[in-house]
Amino acid sequence: MKTIATLTSDDIRSLEIAVNKAACARQAMCPNAIPPYAPIQAADKYFREAIFAYADAEYLQDYFWRDLARRYGVEQTGLQVDFNTNELFVSES
């Protein structure tokens, strides 16, 4: 792996928020997320909102990686972040 840059705390926070939002939305989309006795309309609305929340979180993550790739002039594929050191890496193939 090749180190490209050390990311700012704002960059790291943005990625952490996007990852956390996606994880929460994935949990919300589990079939047992609402009780079986919930009204059908409420369940439909709940899952529709969960899907939109997941899509938004995925967009934030994709935007984050595209922005880093553009900023540092590298391909988006293979980018990784070390959260312990805040370093941005690209895996070399």
Side-chain angles (χ1 to χ4, degrees), residues 3-61:
T3 303
I4 297 175
T6 300
L7 299 178
T8 67
S9 58
D10 286 342
D11 286 332
I12 296 297
R13 188 172 39 255
S14 293
L15 180 57
E16 287 173 337
I17 289 169
V19 168
N20 188 47
K21 284 182 179 226
C24 290
R26 269 193 303 277
Q27 290 175 3
M29 290 190 306
C30 290
N32 62 352
I34 59 170
Y37 53 81
I40 296 292
Q41 297 87 350
D44 285 348
K45 182 176 180 178
Y46 173 86
F47 285 114
R48 187 174 17 261
E49 293 300 321
I51 290 167
F52 285 130
Y54 183 71
D56 287 344
E58 285 291 307
Y59 174 80
L60 287 175
Q61 287 183 71

Side-chain angles (χ1 to χ4, degrees), residues 70-89:
R70 179 196 51 77
R71 204 181 325 164
Y72 295 107
V74 295
E75 292 291 321
Q76 185 176 340
T77 306
L79 287 179
Q80 300 175 24
V81 172
D82 180 334
F83 286 98
N84 293 319
T85 63
N86 292 0
E87 291 180 315
L88 176 65
F89 293 96

